[in-house]
Amino acid sequence: MTVIGLDDTDSRERGMCTTYLATLVADAVEAAGGRVRRRLLVRLNPAVKHKTRGNAALALHVEFPAEDALAVAVSELEPLAETDDPRTSPGVVVAPGDPEDVPDAVADFARRGVRDIVDTETATALAEEAGYEHRGWDGGRGRIGALAAIGAWTAFDEWTYEHISYREFDRCGTARDVDWDSVFEAAEAFYPEAWDTVDREEGQAVCVPNAPGPILHGVRGDDPEAVRNLAARIESEPVERAATFLTNQGTDVHLRDGEIGSLRDAAAYRVDGTVASDPETRRGGHVFFELEDGDESIACVAFEPTKRFRDRVRALRVGDDLTVCGEVTEGTLKLEKFAVRSLVRTEEVTPTCPDCGRSMKSAGRNQGYRCRDCGTSTPEKETVRADRELERGWYEVPPCARRHISKPLVRGGFDAPTHPER
């Protein structure tokens, strides 16, 4: 057995895709007489600055001589990697042996790659210590992801699937020809085994990317047959090739438990706290509020692209107890989902006159309230039951705004009732 790790061959502007390159490498291995046993698509820390949108690294588990694997990978990578993009820095790492037998240090590196910031020097030193061959181009930063992908199989316990269909390569950069009705019909037929295929409220086919690369559509779910069969029902331009990947998408593996006051930037957390300020909609449509725990507090934000999720955030009130999940950047937690643990159920309102039923008026500072018509008075506001739009349980961003690695509520396993978005 041999594991081939690949990363950072694509470009935000020019397209290309590391999953496509991994598929070509897999085809080349099989053409040379090898066998591909498993394909991994590993999402790394979404807070890393030098990344494409999903920060994906790839690993191929193959029955193929390690001494030949690097040459095959390089021969496929060099003609296609977008090295003209200054942010593209490809890397390949080849590990001989069974993926279950990688050193503990490599598995730990994979876990750090999902939750922390790691550097190229650490990756190359660890690869050499393990006896792995590696190559890098334009700095070879991709060796970080390549090594993390090699360690991922032993580092993580939870896996989902993505079936990716690729368009004919000369069509890259042109508009995708996809029948949208067929996407929505197929999504309905295979939900919830396949999830985040579409966003019904926004009318978006989430599985069809906007980037100029070779992916035609990518279908995610918990069942490999479901994602393949869903993809087969989508009517579109010709599919050049396709592959099914095991992936850590939709698992929340990037989150760690944290406490307000000890959170750091470029990491993602699951945090408990109490709403300390009324939600405020600021310029651009972003919604902010303060979350506190004792004397410590942190700003939380639901950005405009999270769409209707912001209405859930706006419905929060001071005193609500929450668990929030998201990445911390410049001291602000960017919400991916939150759970309402307890709600403020009462509120103080201007009292109503018991005689005429009209709203009383303030009688002056610290003088209570008085009905101007009847003359009745009361020393304080009236406590009534609050009409709340929220219930206890989890709320999430919609599919159109979800990060690849974030766990959708429909997958289950949460510790309270959920309100999944479709």
Side-chain angles (χ1 to χ4, degrees):
M1 282 287 291
T2 300
V3 185
I4 306 171
L6 304 158
D7 192 23
D8 208 8
T9 65
D10 46 4
S11 164
R12 299 185 195 188
E13 288 80 21
R14 298 184 177 92
M16 192 44 198
C17 172
T18 306
T19 71
Y20 182 73
L21 175 63
T23 302
L24 295 182
V25 173
D27 290 347
V29 166
E30 292 181 335
R35 179 188 173 202
V36 178
R37 284 184 50 187
R38 193 179 294 121
R39 306 165 195 240
L40 300 187
L41 193 170
V42 182
R43 299 291 180 180
L44 303 176
N45 187 349
V48 172
K49 292 181 179 180
H50 299 287
K51 69 178 180 69
T52 48
R53 178 173 176 265
N55 201 17
L58 281 296
L60 301 173
H61 298 176
V62 299
E63 295 176 3
F64 194 64
E67 56 268 25
D68 298 329
L70 183 63
V72 168
V74 170
S75 68
E76 296 295 331
L77 183 151
E78 287 188 326
L80 292 175
E82 291 289 347
T83 53
D84 288 342
D85 188 324
R87 290 178 294 190
T88 299
S89 181
V92 177
V93 180
V94 174
D98 196 289
E100 283 87 355
D101 296 331
V102 301
D104 290 343
V106 175
D108 182 65
F109 184 84
R111 286 185 282 267
R112 291 167 55 202
V114 172
R115 292 184 169 183
D116 295 310
I117 304 296
V118 290
D119 56 48
T120 306
E121 292 74 17
T122 300
T124 54
L126 186 55
E128 290 173 2
E129 182 181 330
Y132 299 163
E133 295 288 332
H134 60 88
R135 282 281 304 276
W137 292 260
D138 296 316
R141 188 174 56 244
R143 286 172 288 187
I144 297 172
L147 184 65
I150 286 172
W153 186 243
T154 55
F156 307 122
D157 297 323
E158 186 177 5
W159 297 92
T160 62
Y161 296 88
E162 180 166 5
H163 184 76
I164 301 180
S165 301
Y166 300 96
R167 59 200 313 216
E168 295 173 339
F169 198 73
D170 60 4
R171 288 177 177 258
C172 290
T174 65
R176 291 168 175 82
D177 183 7
V178 176
D179 181 82
W180 303 115
D181 290 340
S182 72
V183 177
F184 280 82
E185 290 169 5
E188 183 68 25
F190 290 95
Y191 184 85
E193 288 79 13
W195 30 262
D196 284 3
T197 309
V198 300
D199 187 321
R200 294 192 173 279
E201 290 290 327
E202 299 299 324
Q204 292 186 25
V206 179
C207 67
V208 180
N210 295 317
I215 294 179
L216 183 58
H217 45 72
V219 179
R220 301 170 187 166
D222 290 299
D223 181 85
E225 290 303 313
V227 296
R228 282 192 284 263
N229 290 336
L230 193 161
R233 289 200 190 184
I234 297 175
E235 299 174 13
S236 69
E237 65 186 66
V239 174
E240 179 194 63
R241 65 188 73 221
T244 302
F245 296 86
L246 276 160
T247 173
N248 63 348
Q249 293 171 162
T251 64
D252 272 352
V253 72
H254 64 310
L255 298 177
R256 69 181 83 193
D257 293 332
E259 295 182 355
I260 299 174
S262 61
L263 310 181
R264 53 188 176 78
D265 282 357
Y269 296 92
R270 187 185 297 106
V271 182
D272 295 330
T274 302
V275 177
S277 69
D278 291 326
E280 176 188 1
T281 301
R282 299 181 185 173
R283 183 176 181 179
H286 314 307
V287 182
F288 290 79
F289 68 92
E290 290 288 323
L291 191 75
E292 68 178 7
D293 182 12
D295 295 331
E296 303 287 350
S297 67
I298 188 170
C300 299
V301 60
F303 287 116
E304 188 280 332
T306 62
K307 304 301 179 185
R308 56 196 182 273
F309 175 69
R310 294 172 299 158
D311 292 333
R312 305 298 193 184
V313 175
R314 292 186 181 105
L316 294 170
R317 295 191 180 184
V318 172
D320 291 341
D321 292 322
L322 308 179
T323 298
V324 300
C325 299
E327 170 197 321
V328 176
T329 301
E330 297 180 355
T332 298
L333 189 144
K334 300 185 288 189
L335 290 167
E336 298 172 11
K337 62 175 76 73
F338 68 88
V340 175
R341 302 305 185 184
S342 68
L343 289 166
V344 173
R345 293 292 186 181
T346 61
E347 59 184 343
E348 292 186 342
V349 299
T350 300
T352 300
C353 175
D355 296 331
C356 68
R358 291 188 176 91
S359 179
M360 293 184 173
K361 304 296 182 182
S362 173
R365 184 177 177 86
N366 298 323
Q367 297 183 48
Y369 296 85
R370 179 177 300 170
C371 177
R372 295 179 180 176
D373 295 324
C374 303
T376 56
S377 62
T378 183
E380 56 191 17
K381 287 188 174 183
E382 182 180 1
T383 300
V384 299
R385 184 170 179 82
D387 183 18
R388 300 301 305 270
E389 299 174 22
L390 298 174
E391 302 172 359
R392 289 184 64 252
W394 285 91
Y395 296 88
E396 64 183 347
V397 301
C400 67
R402 193 174 350 267
R403 283 182 151 165
H404 302 289
I405 202 168
S406 295
K407 186 176 183 178
L409 299 181
V410 70
R411 295 202 61 229
F414 292 86
D415 54 0
T418 58
H419 309 278
E421 286 279 2
R422 292 194 60 182

